[in-house]
Amino acid sequence: MPDTLQGIGVSPGLAAGLVVRMGPPPSLPAPRPVADPDKEVAVAVSALETVESGLRERAGAATGEAADILEALAMIAADPTLRQDAETRIRAGADAAHALRETFDGHREALAALGGYLAERAADLDDLANRAIAAALGLPMPGVPSPGHPFILVADDLAPADTAALDPSSVLALVTERGGPTSHTAILARSLGLPAVVGCGGALDLPDGVAATVDGTTGEVRAGVDEQEVAEVRARAAVERSRLEEGRGPGLTSDGHAVDLMVNIGSAADLAGVDLSDVAGVGLFRTEFLFLDRHDAPGLDEQVAAYAEAFRLFERGTIVVRTLDAGADKPLPFLGLPEEPNPALGVRGLRVARDRPEVLDTQLQAIALAAAETAADVWVMAPMVSTAPEAAGFAARARGFGLSTAGVMIEVPAAALRAGRFLDVVDFLSIGTNDLSQYTLAADRQTGGLADLLDPWQPALLQLIAGCAEAGKDSGRSVGVCGEAAADPLLAPVLVGLGITKLSMSPRGLPAVRAGLAAHSLADCRRLAGRALDAGDAAEARAAVLAETT
Amino acid sequence: MPERTVTIASRTGLHARPAAIFVKAAAEQSVPVRIRVGDGSPVPAASMLAVLSLGAGHGTEVILDADGPGADDALDALVTLLARDLDAEEAADA
C-alpha cells in the first residue's frame, strides 16, 4: 500500500518518479568516547571514499568544465593527507565525525588564508566536509543530489544557494518538509514550471529510491506506488503539459491586449531545444557566464564570438543584453575588488565601472560588434543603477559604441521612485524583482528565514512596479519585468493590470503564464492588481487574487 | 637528493584540471615526490590540497624533489608533464 502524505500544492502539475532526498548540512552530535580506534578510522576512511566515489560518478556523467571541477573535487576527497589527519585525530581520542570536521576545518583555514581563487575553493571544502560527515553519521547526503537519472527532489527546504546547483532538466518535482506558499522553493518551482508540494510532513522520512507521485495542485504525495501508477500519472502529466503547450501564440489577455512574453537566458546553450516561435525575444541575456572562474577578463574577440553565437539563434526578435552583474557579492578574481562587510550594498553591477570602466567598455564594444554581425535587434541594459545621471552615463557610453537602444534595470527603490526621470534619458526599463524586493523590504536574499518578505507579491513591491509602469505609459517607453515574479502564472495578470507590457522568464515558465493571461481580460487584470495593492502583505495579496480567480 | 626546477606551462596555472593530472601522475610514481615554490616548504606532490595550496600560477617556477631508487625517472616524468600546457590538451582528451 502506498503511503499518502499531504502538503501544500504551490506549483501545479503532476509528476511520478524516484525520490532522492537532499539532506540538510549535518549537525554534529556531542563528541562520544571511542572504544575501538581502528573501527573508527575505518568509518572515517569509508566516509571519504563514499564522497570520492559519488563525485567520480557525477564527473563521469558530466561533460566539459563541470566534469573537470567534479574530478578535481574527487581528488581532494581522495587526498591522503585528509586520511592521515583524520586518523591522527581519532588516535588522539576524537570520533570519526568530529575528526573529519576538524580535519576539513584546518585545511579550509589554510586555503582561505591564501586569498583570491583559493579562498573561493574553501567553500568547496565545506561541501566536501558536510558530505563526509553525513556519510560517517549515516545521514542523507547534503547538497543538491545528482543521481544521474530524473528524480523527485525531497528536501527540508531549499535555499537560494541550493537552487544554483539544481539541474532543472533532471528534476521532476520538488517536495519539501517545511516551507509555505511564499518559500523560495515555491517561487523556484513556478519559475521552472515544476510541480511542487511544500510543508509536507514526513517527506524527509521517505527512503531514497522509492517510487512516488506528486500532485502540485492538490498537494498530495503518494510514496511506494507501483509501476502501473507511475505510468498512469506520467500519461496524465503529458496530457496536461500538451494542453498548456497547445496554448500557442503571443501573450494575450482574453480580450486581446498584447503582452510581450520573453525568455531569460544565461548563454546560447539555454536556447537549445526551446521552441522560440511564439517568443517575442530574449528579455534578459545574463553575460556572467563568460566571466566566472577567470583569472583574466575575457578578451574582445572571445566576447564577440560568444555574443554573436546567442544573437544568431534569435535573429527575428529583440535581445536585451545585461552588462556584467558582478561585485563583492559575486566576486570575480580579475576585478580585484576588496572584500566588503555588506556586499549587497557595495560595489556591484554598474558601480564596478567606477573603478574599472575598461571592463564595461570592452563588453559594450563586443556587444556592438556581435550585433553588427547578426540581424538581431540588440538592446543593452546596466544592472544596479541608482540615479538618473548614472543611467544617462551608461546610455551615452552604449550609444558611443553604436548601440542605439540603451536602458537600465530597476533593482533599487531609488530608481523605481524616479522612473519618470530615468525614462527621459534611457530607452527602456526592466524591473529585476528579486533585487528590488530585497532592497525594498530590507531582507537579504541569502537569508532563508525571510522568504515571506522577499515574496514578489509584497504590495510595496507591486506599488513600485506600478509607478514604473505608469512612467512607461506617460513616456511611451517599454517597462518590463524580468525577475522570478514574471514566471508566476497567478501574478502575471496582476503585473499586466499594473501596466507592465513585457514579461521575461525562464522558457519553462512560458506555457503556464500564457494560459494565466489568456484566462483574464485586461479589465480583470486591473481589478486583480487593485486587490493585490490593497492587501496588507504578500500572503494577503495572493489570497485576495486567488479568491477572485477561482 | 635529486631535484628538478620547471616552469608551469598550463595557462590557468597548477589549478583544477592541470593540478588533477599532475597529482594523479605523482601518486603513480614509485617514490614519494615533493614540490615547492621558491624557498617555501616542500609538500607532497600526491596531495591535491597541498598542490592547490601552492597557488602556482602560469609561469611560476616550482622545484620537485624525490629520494630513493627510481627518483630520477619519477622527477623526469613529472617535469615533462608540468612543462606542457595541460589546458591546451583538454579538447584532445575530452
Side-chain angles (χ1 to χ4, degrees), chain B residues 15-68:
Chain B
H15 297 313
R17 181 183 165 82
I21 294 171
F22 171 74
V23 169
K24 203 166 160 215
E28 284 163 3
Q29 303 304 322
S30 56
V31 288
V33 177
R34 302 189 306 170
I35 180 170
R36 69 179 192 271
V37 176
D39 298 332
S41 47
V43 297
S47 162
M48 187 71 175
L49 278 168
V51 167
L52 285 178
S53 303
L54 294 173
H58 171 80
T60 303
E61 265 192 3
V62 297
I63 302 141
L64 304 180
D65 67 48
D67 216 353

Side-chain angles (χ1 to χ4, degrees), chain A residues 154-165:
Chain A
V154 174
D156 182 45
D157 197 4
L158 292 176
D162 301 321
T163 57

Side-chain angles (χ1 to χ4, degrees), chain A residues 4 24 49 51 64 74 76 141 152 160 194 203 229 259 261 307 323 326 370 393 414 423 427 478 480 484 487 507 521:
Chain A
T4 302
E49 282 170 354
V51 174
I76 293 177
M141 275 289 162
I152 295 170
L194 289 175
E229 188 166 344
V259 179
L261 297 183
Y307 302 145
T323 56
L423 285 170
D427 300 304
S478 155
E484 272 163 5
S521 67

